[in-house]
Amino acid sequence: MKNFKIILFYGLAFLFVWIYVLVDLAKMFNLSEAGRLFLLCGSCVFLYFGGRFLSKKRKDNKPMKVNLWIYFILYLILLITLTLFDPMWNRGIQLPNLKEINLITYLQNSVNLIPFKTISQFINQFDSMYSSRQVLLNLFGNIIALTPMAFFLPLLFKKQNKPKLYILTIFLIIFVIEIVQLLTSSGRFDIDDFILNMVGSITMYYILRIKSVNSLIKNIFLLEYNKIDKKSIIKIIMGVLIAFLTAIGIVVFRNKLYDRNYKEYLDIHKGQYEFTFENKDCNLKKEFFYQDDLYTYYLNCYKRNDVYAIAPDGNKYLLVDLIDGKTKYILSMERVRSMFDYQKVEYTKDENFSLLKIEDKQDYDNLQIIINDENIISVKQNTMISEENKYNYNLYIVPKKEGNTNLNLKFTNSKTNKNIHEIYNIEVNSDLKLNFKKLN
């Protein structure tokens, strides 16, 4: 009977690990952090009971010691997965191509050496539209991430029971993780990760060093028979319970903030608006209405100060104020255009810059733009896709000064990695007018 239980529990432990590995390798769907924890913790639970039965059969605790090493390896797998490969956080090993990137720009975007910069950002964003998962995992996930080291290292390595050596080891582990993330583009090198990881792991280390707690852990995981101060354990359990309930309270409170902010966001950006028009006169010259990066809009029958919108709060606002963001309600020009079209409001649209149209690039879904002299022109890009999987690129050429330069366009098929090049010569005259000439 005991042999059956041992085989059953170890078999279930192996099955959970196999499912974890299989899902990651197959990439049929993404495992959430909760899913990964469930599979690995489930495996550890079955290992634990398998080890207990095997230890009783052998009459020693060697299987439990072996289990500790297995737990540690499974934890390292989880840690490496979450820090380097987790698709939920857009992670993946990808060495940066130093020939195609600006190293200084890459380091500026990927390194933070200012203490509490990232932490303060997420604290400030606690009452924001960021998802609770994103805010809480960044704040508390880094605190919790290395706390298991406080459990494993002292049990597996006797020297790690010395606080100074443990702190040095944790520092080196965090440093290696941060460096690997930086070198593989799987994350940022952030001093705030050091702070949160160190605080979490060192705090847990000293909690587990409390004599009664340490004795309880050895009784449970090494099947020892140490005496335990029950009052001390009760106090610790109460502390853990209070911390757990506090954490749940923070999560619930954060979710309520998010729900409130999301409702307000929907009212502002997706709410129903009613347009109202005054003093219609189609004999007027076309009236300037609005200008964005690419177009200038004119009204044919109204002055810009005679067009209003009734917002979700029931108040009447000047339409251009809503577009400019001068009120808490915001309307995009794209949405205004669609509403103008629906209500058949007459308006005209002029392009601000010369347009270079490139049509029917079959399957070439990525465009890289290189300008020989960026002091002469810049490019504003607008990309569209057709139903036939042909990509059309609208490039708005913005002249800066008189001169002559080449525009190099590299079109790439992201699936096959095939690419084609096109080169255009662009001449800017003294009036900042453009002439295009394709060179190949």
Side-chain angles (χ1 to χ4, degrees):
M1 185 64 180
K2 284 186 177 180
N3 288 340
F4 172 75
K5 289 181 179 180
I6 294 169
I7 294 171
L8 175 64
F9 282 114
Y10 275 112
L12 289 172
F14 175 78
L15 177 63
F16 271 53
V17 174
W18 177 244
I19 293 173
Y20 182 98
V21 173
L22 190 64
V23 169
D24 260 3
L25 291 177
K27 296 182 179 179
M28 296 176 63
F29 58 89
N30 294 331
L31 270 177
S32 66
E33 287 83 0
R36 295 180 188 280
L37 284 171
F38 172 78
L39 288 175
L40 291 186
C41 289
S43 176
C44 290
V45 169
F46 291 127
L47 275 174
Y48 176 80
F49 286 107
R52 282 189 70 96
F53 286 120
L54 186 58
S55 293
K56 287 182 179 180
K57 180 181 178 181
R58 290 171 50 93
K59 297 182 179 180
D60 61 36
N61 67 349
K62 286 185 179 180
M64 300 301 285
K65 291 180 178 179
V66 172
N67 276 0
L68 279 176
W69 279 102
I70 298 174
Y71 301 153
F72 185 51
I73 292 170
L74 291 179
Y75 164 67
L76 291 179
I77 291 173
L78 178 65
L79 183 64
I80 292 170
T81 301
L82 294 179
T83 55
L84 299 180
F85 300 102
D86 187 10
M88 298 289 289
W89 291 91
N90 296 318
R91 299 193 192 279
I93 297 296
Q94 182 179 357
L95 297 178
N97 191 334
L98 298 180
K99 294 181 179 179
E100 295 185 2
I101 66 171
N102 185 305
L103 182 58
I104 295 177
T105 302
Y106 176 74
L107 291 176
Q108 287 175 341
N109 295 332
S110 303
V111 176
N112 170 43
L113 298 177
I114 304 173
F116 303 105
K117 179 181 177 181
T118 304
I119 294 171
S120 62
Q121 285 176 352
F122 279 102
I123 291 175
N124 293 334
Q125 291 162 357
F126 198 80
D127 187 4
S128 69
M129 268 297 297
Y130 280 89
S131 69
S132 294
R133 176 179 175 274
Q134 189 173 3
V135 174
L136 296 174
L137 281 181
N138 273 280
L139 285 175
F140 299 117
N142 277 317
I143 294 176
I144 298 170
L146 291 180
T147 53
M149 289 292 183
F151 169 80
F152 289 116
L153 294 183
L155 286 177
L156 296 175
F157 309 97
K158 290 183 179 180
K159 291 183 178 181
Q160 291 298 316
N161 285 285
K162 298 178 180 179
K164 290 183 179 179
L165 185 59
Y166 172 80
I167 292 172
L168 177 61
T169 303
I170 288 297
F171 180 88
L172 293 175
I173 290 172
I174 299 170
F175 182 78
V176 169
I177 291 173
E178 294 296 310
I179 286 293
V180 172
Q181 285 185 328
L182 177 64
L183 296 179
T184 60
S185 299
S186 58
R188 301 176 73 239
F189 185 101
D190 196 332
I191 190 66
D192 283 357
D193 288 350
F194 268 94
I195 295 171
L196 295 174
N197 290 159
M198 291 292 289
V199 167
S201 57
I202 292 173
T203 301
M204 182 59 69
Y205 178 79
Y206 281 103
I207 290 174
L208 298 184
R209 278 177 63 84
I210 298 172
K211 186 176 180 180
S212 54
V213 176
N214 191 261
S215 298
L216 179 63
I217 287 173
K218 289 181 178 179
N219 288 355
I220 294 174
F221 292 97
L222 294 176
L223 303 183
E224 295 182 2
Y225 296 94
N226 300 302
K227 291 183 178 180
I228 298 173
D229 182 354
K230 293 182 180 179
K231 290 183 178 180
S232 176
I233 292 296
I234 291 173
K235 290 179 181 179
I236 293 168
I237 291 174
M238 290 299 294
V240 171
L241 184 60
I242 290 171
F244 180 71
L245 293 176
T246 301
I248 291 177
I250 292 173
V251 172
V252 171
F253 177 65
R254 181 48 174 72
N255 285 335
K256 287 185 177 179
L257 288 179
Y258 176 80
D259 291 341
R260 184 202 66 191
N261 292 334
Y262 185 64
K263 182 181 182 301
E264 185 177 350
Y265 172 84
L266 290 179
D267 286 340
I268 292 173
H269 296 276
K270 305 292 183 180
Q272 295 299 315
Y273 292 82
E274 181 183 346
F275 284 11
T276 62
F277 304 90
E278 298 178 1
N279 305 319
K280 182 176 182 180
D281 185 357
C282 292
N283 293 321
L284 293 170
K285 292 182 179 179
K286 66 179 184 179
E287 166 88 1
F288 168 77
F289 177 67
Y290 188 75
Q291 184 179 51
D292 59 20
D293 284 347
L294 299 180
Y295 304 105
T296 300
Y297 301 89
Y298 300 89
L299 295 175
N300 295 347
C301 298
Y302 299 96
K303 292 184 177 181
R304 71 196 304 259
N305 290 334
D306 289 335
V307 183
Y308 298 87
I310 299 174
D313 63 359
N315 291 322
K316 184 177 177 181
Y317 297 94
L318 198 63
L319 185 55
V320 288
D321 287 346
L322 292 173
I323 301 171
D324 285 333
K326 293 181 179 179
T327 74
K328 75 169 185 176
Y329 292 100
I330 301 172
L331 270 175
S332 67
M333 191 59 213
E334 183 179 359
R335 190 173 179 192
V336 170
R337 280 173 50 193
S338 66
M339 295 173 79
F340 276 175
D341 293 337
Y342 178 75
Q343 296 186 16
K344 298 182 179 179
V345 177
E346 294 184 20
Y347 70 96
T348 55
K349 179 182 72 172
D350 293 344
E351 292 166 347
N352 295 337
F353 309 110
S354 298
L355 174 63
L356 174 60
K357 278 194 171 186
I358 303 170
E359 299 179 334
D360 298 340
K361 290 297 178 186
Q362 182 73 44
D363 295 327
Y364 289 96
D365 55 353
N366 186 41
L367 170 61
Q368 180 183 2
I369 300 172
I370 301 172
I371 302 170
N372 286 6
D373 191 340
E374 294 185 348
N375 293 317
I376 296 175
I377 63 166
S378 62
V379 175
K380 294 181 181 292
Q381 181 184 348
N382 179 24
T383 305
M384 296 172 289
I385 181 173
S386 66
E387 293 181 0
E388 297 81 15
N389 209 30
K390 293 180 180 178
Y391 293 81
N392 303 317
Y393 297 91
N394 289 343
L395 305 182
Y396 292 88
I397 313 299
V398 182
K400 295 183 178 179
K401 69 175 185 178
E402 182 181 2
N404 192 298
T405 187
N406 285 345
L407 182 66
N408 299 272
L409 306 178
K410 179 182 176 182
F411 302 90
T412 306
N413 184 318
S414 59
K415 294 181 180 178
T416 63
N417 212 28
K418 291 183 179 179
N419 59 72
I420 57 174
H421 291 80
E422 290 184 2
I423 303 175
Y424 291 82
N425 179 258
I426 299 178
E427 182 182 352
V428 182
N429 63 26
S430 57
D431 297 327
L432 296 185
K433 301 295 183 183
L434 301 181
N435 291 314
F436 302 97
K437 182 179 179 182
K438 188 175 180 182
L439 300 183
N440 65 338

